């Protein structure tokens, strides 16, 4: 799998896991927020890598 696709996939999985974790605990902690921020950065890096390829 190409690196940019893998980066975007990991970002999406992290967001899903953070949402599930927040739903199970019924609260949003600082760790959940940090995971979502990390996932958004990972998706952004994946998009930048794709744009550099073209």
């Amino acid at each position: 799998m190409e690196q940019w696709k893998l980066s975007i996939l990991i970002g999406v999985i992290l967001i899903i896991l953070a949402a599930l974790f927040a739903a199970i605990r019924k609260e949003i902690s600082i760790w959940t927020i940090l995971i979502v921020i990390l996932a958004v950065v990972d998706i952004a890096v994946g998009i930048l890598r794709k744009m550099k390829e073209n």
Side-chain angles (χ1 to χ4, degrees), residues 4-37:
W4 67 269
K5 287 181 183 177
L6 188 62
S7 184
I8 291 174
L9 180 65
I10 290 171
V12 169
I13 290 171
L14 281 174
I15 289 174
I16 291 169
L17 287 175
L20 286 173
F21 184 71
I24 290 171
R25 293 196 56 184
K26 296 182 181 165
E27 66 179 353
I28 296 178
S29 67
I30 187 71
W31 296 110
T32 308
I33 294 169
L34 289 175
I35 291 171
V36 170
I37 291 171

